[in-house]
């Protein structure tokens, strides 16, 4: 059975990916592992599922998990606060002691002060903490692109220092596994084209679910009463996007038919794209609309685009940032972020 429950909702398949991660954590840390893929394919959910259902249950792992979507990082001090906490024996309840295995490093007030005043290097301190740990260390960072544009001290970029630290933990000292998650592949592309990071990294794509997964999932929900033809229609419009299928399950009954719901989704998506054209005009960048249309024509004929030119690349950057296109830096190809966008591209071109 592929269907599990996680935090009270359906969690579909991912057995192969789970096995991949468990094997990976069993090995010695050698490289930084980048987990990437289109927005909402389930990267965060999958990693949190693995942490909660496997890693936390084994006493042999020391897990540090930071999700920068949930923590506001506006400067170096707030970054430190997201990692370090002053030791305070009196307020240490059993509850926050167990909570802390998940996040923060605890340290003496005077050490914290030295780090904040840049008298002691944060990353050297963290490496020593990992070195003291008897269990297997796993550091997981989600939404790392939030560290862009933050400076440590003078002109030192926090992101660069942090990535050096990740390389030190893996390739150089083998003290900890490091997993970094991101949907922002323009950001990832920069990493991939940085020779030091490329050599010291591995990249794992987490894509949308398969047709078989969606079929088994929707058939198992007998109360929905979907026939195989309905499921094929849903897959034709929404592909393997778990989040869009969950939305359909919640909302389709408000429509006269399944087809009407799906057609409405195309309309909404098409308008979302048209809205970005408006933004481009405001930015005096309407010259990117034609290259975008070239890209989507390519996607509609081949399933992906590998066109290259200055304007095409600028359009890819813009529409990836909007999460309409997805650029895979490893394959060097561009696709739609999910299937509904492909349907909306067809509609957009046929509307002229
Ligand atoms: N395997 C899955 N089965 C069912 N729903 C999923 C699955 N993976 C993700 N989802 C749902 O899709 C949504 C987006 O997932 P998320 O993990 O935030 O994506 P990402 O981190 O890749 O952007 C969430 O609401 C989550 O519940
Ligand atoms: Mg995520």
């Amino acid at each position: 059975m592929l269907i599990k429950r996680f935090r009270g909702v359906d969690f579909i398949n991912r057995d192969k990916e789970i096995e991949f991660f468990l094997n990976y954590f069993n090995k010695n840390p050698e490289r930084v592992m980048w987990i990437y893929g289109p927005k909402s394919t389930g990267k965060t959910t999958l990693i949190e599922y693995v942490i909660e259902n496997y890693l936390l249950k084994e006493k042999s792992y020391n897990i540090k998990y930071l999700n920068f979507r949930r923590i506001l990082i506006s400067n170096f001090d707030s970054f430190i606060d997201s990692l370090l906490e002053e030791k305070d024996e009196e307020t240490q309840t059993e509850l926050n002691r167990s909570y802390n295995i998940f996040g923060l490093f605890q340290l003496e007030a005077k050490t914290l002060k030295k780090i904040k005043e840049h008298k002691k290097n944060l990353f050297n301190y963290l490496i020593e903490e990992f070195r003291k740990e008897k269990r297997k260390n796993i550091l997981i960072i989600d939404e790392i692109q939030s560290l862009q544009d933050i400076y440590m001290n003078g002109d030192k970029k926090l992101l660069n220092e942090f990535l050096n630290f990740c390389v030190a933990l893996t390739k150089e000292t083998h003290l900890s596994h490091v997993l970094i998650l991101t949907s922002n592949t323009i950001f990832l592309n920069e990493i991939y084209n940085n020779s030091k990071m490329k050599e010291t990294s591995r990249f794992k794509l987490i894509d949308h679910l398969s047709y078989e997964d969606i079929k088994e999932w929707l058939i198992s929900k007998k109360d929905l009463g979907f026939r195989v033809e309905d499921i094929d229609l849903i897959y034709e419009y929404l592909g393997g996007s778990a989040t869009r299928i969950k939305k359909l399950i919640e909302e389709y009954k408000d429509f006269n038919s399944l087809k009407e719901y799906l057609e409405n989704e195309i309309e909404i998506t098409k308008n979302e794209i048209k809205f970005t054209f408006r933004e481009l005009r405001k930015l005096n960048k309407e010259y990117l609309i034609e290259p975008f249309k070239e890209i989507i024509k390519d996607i509609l004929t081949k399933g992906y685009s590998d066109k290259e030119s200055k304007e095409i690349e600028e359009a890819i950057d813009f529409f990836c940032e909007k999460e309409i296109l997805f650029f895979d830096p490893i394959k060097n190809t561009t696709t739609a972020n999910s299937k509904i966008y492909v349907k909306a591209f067809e509609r957009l071109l046929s509307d002229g």
Side-chain angles (χ1 to χ4, degrees):
M1 190 64 170
L2 297 171
I3 298 143
K4 309 170 197 68
R5 298 283 286 176
F6 181 46
R7 297 175 178 158
V9 296
D10 291 342
F11 179 79
I12 309 306
N13 193 3
R14 296 301 189 195
D15 288 349
K16 282 211 184 85
E17 287 85 353
I18 294 169
E19 199 185 316
F20 170 88
F21 286 121
L22 297 180
N23 276 334
Y24 175 74
F25 291 134
N26 256 326
K27 294 187 193 135
N28 231 18
E30 298 281 353
R31 284 162 201 268
V32 177
M33 172 71 81
W34 292 82
I35 311 300
Y36 75 103
K39 177 81 201 135
S40 291
T41 53
K43 296 174 289 300
T44 302
T45 309
L46 170 62
I47 258 339
E48 293 188 353
Y49 185 88
V50 170
I51 294 174
E52 286 188 38
N53 289 283
Y54 296 91
L55 304 181
L56 283 180
K57 287 187 177 155
E58 279 209 35
K59 299 270 179 289
S60 58
Y61 290 116
N62 171 41
I63 303 139
K64 298 288 176 194
Y65 171 56
L66 293 163
N67 187 332
F68 288 126
R69 163 152 304 166
R70 299 189 195 135
I71 315 164
L72 185 69
I73 309 284
S74 49
N75 53 32
F76 186 53
D77 270 8
S78 55
F79 175 71
I80 293 176
D81 291 336
S82 74
L83 286 167
L84 307 180
E85 184 180 61
E86 198 181 305
K87 243 186 211 157
D88 182 351
E89 290 303 329
E90 296 200 344
T91 58
Q92 272 294 313
T93 62
E94 205 44 53
L95 184 72
N96 68 28
R97 204 174 281 137
S98 60
Y99 173 76
N100 280 338
I101 54 172
F102 223 53
L104 306 174
F105 294 84
Q106 296 213 327
L107 75 177
E108 305 289 341
K110 59 177 190 298
T111 318
L112 183 59
K113 188 160 176 274
K114 276 191 192 155
I115 292 175
K116 286 202 170 173
E117 289 170 353
H118 301 283
K119 287 181 184 140
K120 189 173 171 66
N121 183 282
L122 168 69
F123 297 118
N124 292 343
Y125 167 79
L126 292 176
I127 287 181
E128 288 322 306
E129 287 301 299
F130 278 117
R131 202 187 296 282
K132 281 187 218 154
E133 180 60 53
K134 296 279 180 291
R135 295 167 294 172
K136 277 190 175 183
N137 295 308
I138 301 179
L139 173 65
I140 301 175
I141 302 111
D142 203 345
E143 305 287 350
I144 192 172
Q145 66 279 359
S146 317
L147 302 188
Q148 274 174 312
D149 307 323
I150 294 181
Y151 289 83
M152 281 176 65
N153 191 10
D155 56 3
K156 259 195 193 166
K157 277 189 144 180
L158 173 60
L159 181 66
N160 294 347
E161 299 300 307
F162 187 76
L163 292 175
N164 284 337
F165 162 67
C166 294
V167 173
L169 280 179
T170 50
K171 189 185 168 222
E172 290 166 11
T173 62
H174 313 283
L175 283 172
S176 178
H177 281 293
V178 177
L179 235 70
I180 308 181
L181 282 67
T182 186
S183 294
N184 186 329
T185 51
I186 300 309
F187 168 78
L188 187 64
N189 195 28
E190 278 172 35
I191 303 290
Y192 189 69
N193 289 306
N194 166 330
S195 57
K196 180 176 176 194
M197 283 317 295
K198 188 171 181 167
E199 263 171 42
T200 53
S201 298
R202 276 185 71 177
F203 299 88
K204 168 101 181 140
L205 173 69
I206 302 294
D207 215 335
H208 295 289
L209 296 169
S210 70
Y211 171 72
E212 286 69 33
D213 290 339
I214 301 300
K215 190 170 160 192
E216 183 166 352
W217 181 19
L218 292 180
I219 283 180
S220 80
K221 301 189 88 67
K222 294 206 171 54
D223 53 322
L224 296 175
F226 289 146
R227 297 159 303 167
V228 173
E229 305 90 273
D230 299 326
I231 295 172
D232 288 354
L233 187 72
I234 294 171
Y235 191 77
E236 160 69 19
Y237 280 70
L238 304 182
S241 166
T243 185
R244 291 205 177 249
I245 290 178
K246 283 183 171 165
K247 183 168 173 276
L248 168 129
I249 293 172
E250 282 165 29
E251 296 178 7
Y252 85 98
K253 289 212 172 91
D254 300 340
F255 291 78
N256 292 320
S257 67
L258 195 56
K259 179 97 179 176
E260 197 185 294
Y261 170 85
L262 293 166
E263 284 294 319
N264 187 55
E265 286 296 291
I266 296 189
E267 245 353 81
I268 295 172
T269 311
K270 190 186 81 187
N271 289 333
E272 178 194 329
I273 300 169
K274 282 194 163 168
F275 189 78
T276 62
F277 292 174
R278 237 173 96 169
E279 268 185 87
L280 281 175
R281 283 190 287 270
K282 267 196 196 147
L283 294 165
N284 287 326
K285 287 191 170 182
E286 53 270 65
Y287 62 87
L288 291 181
I289 297 176
E290 273 317 306
F292 171 71
K293 288 190 172 164
E294 269 185 59
I295 298 166
I296 68 177
K297 273 182 207 153
D298 220 17
I299 293 175
L300 288 174
T301 45
K302 303 195 294 202
Y304 65 91
S305 171
D306 51 6
K307 282 194 187 317
E308 287 177 339
S309 79
K310 192 166 165 285
E311 285 183 351
I312 291 269
E313 279 145 27
E314 199 181 338
I316 291 174
D317 285 3
F318 181 83
F319 287 93
C320 281
E321 205 64 61
K322 297 287 172 201
E323 295 170 348
I324 289 169
L325 294 177
F326 171 69
F327 176 71
D328 185 326
I330 312 330
K331 296 184 194 150
N332 201 19
T333 55
T334 304
T335 53
N337 215 298
S338 72
K339 187 68 198 286
I340 193 75
Y341 287 100
V342 178
K343 301 297 275 184
F345 296 164
E346 280 170 4
R347 197 62 55 85
L348 200 70
L349 293 183
S350 67
D351 285 1

